Structures are given as C-alpha cells and as structure tokens.
Amino acid sequence: MSHPRLPAPEEALADAKKRLSLPRIVVICGSTRFMTEMTEADVRETTAGRIVVKPGCDMKSPHALWSDPVEAEALKARLDELHRAKIRLSDEVLVVGDYVGDSTRAEIAYARSLDKPVRFTHPEVDPGNAVERPGRP
C-alpha cells in the first residue's frame, strides 16, 4: 500500500500562500547603511502591491539594546537568523544599494540556494554578475 507523499515545508508554504491569495512577498536585503534607500524601496514595492519585509534594526546606529559588545554579538547572530527566515518566507529578494558586503553576499547566496529570484537596485553589484565592480570600503 502506497502512502501519499507529504509536501515539503516549502511546498506547503507556497500552497498556503496561494490558497490565501497573498500578494508576492519581497524581502529587502542590503547594508544597513542604506536604511533610507530601503525605506524608499519599501514604499515602491508596497505601492506595487507587494508585501515587504526588511531589516528592522540598524545596529550601526547607537541603541541601548546593543550597547554592550558581547550582547551585541549575540543579537547580531539572532538577527541574521531572523533575516534568513524572512528570506525563506519571501517569494523574492530585492538587494538595495550600490555596495554588497559579506553579510549581504551571504544573504544573496542563501536566497539563490533556495531558488528565490534576486533583484538589485544596482545590478552592477550582483556577485553573480561577471562585471561586478569592487565594493566600497
């Protein structure tokens, strides 16, 4: 007797989003130095009818929650994991800014490993682009 195949979690999520008639979900990635540009991208994506998720914390700006270096390191690890969850939830990724650092490069690689489409506000910084220009310091 054959049992029906259970869908993979990704398939179940895609099916649930379809049955709920959810709009496409876009996750914004990029250096937090581009928070202003991320907010503008959020407005543009939202007015285009997409659900937008993006980084919620800019740890480069002073805040009591990450003033202690040891606690800040632990928080950064938790926020990185949270952002990977946002990527798993999303239908596509939008990379904002004209610079891609190590964290954003890892997010792009993660999204692509999940077969998520990745768009760029500045396509020339795509690490998969053969004509990638050197990053800013």
Side-chain angles (χ1 to χ4, degrees):
M1 180 172 149
S2 168
H3 295 283
R5 182 184 75 81
L6 293 176
E10 297 82 6
E11 294 171 321
L13 177 60
D15 183 56
K17 290 190 310 190
K18 183 185 243 181
R19 288 186 300 143
L20 290 167
S21 300
L22 292 179
R24 286 187 67 78
I25 299 173
V26 177
V27 62
I28 294 177
C29 295
S31 171
T32 55
R33 71 176 73 171
F34 299 117
M35 289 300 271
T36 300
E37 291 87 344
M38 287 181 187
T39 299
E40 178 63 23
D42 186 348
V43 168
R44 291 184 184 281
E45 294 295 314
T46 299
T47 58
R50 298 177 190 98
I51 295 171
V52 178
V53 291
K54 63 184 177 90
C57 299
D58 175 6
M59 292 185 67
K60 290 183 175 104
S61 297
H63 194 285
L65 289 174
W66 48 84
S67 60
D68 176 88
V70 174
E71 291 177 20
E73 192 63 31
L75 177 60
K76 168 100 169 75
R78 290 193 313 273
L79 292 176
D80 287 348
E81 183 55 39
L82 179 62
H83 202 68
R84 284 189 293 276
K86 291 175 183 180
I87 292 169
R88 288 191 303 275
L89 177 67
S90 75
D91 297 304
E92 63 182 307
V93 172
L94 174 61
V95 179
V96 173
D98 62 357
Y99 163 79
V100 171
D102 292 339
S103 293
T104 304
R105 189 178 308 274
E107 292 166 356
I108 293 165
Y110 183 64
R112 287 181 168 155
S113 77
L114 300 173
D115 294 323
K116 304 283 181 176
V118 180
R119 293 185 285 132
F120 292 81
T121 59
H122 294 77
E124 68 273 12
V125 300
D126 180 350
N129 185 346
V131 294
E132 178 186 3
R133 70 177 194 193
R136 296 189 323 206

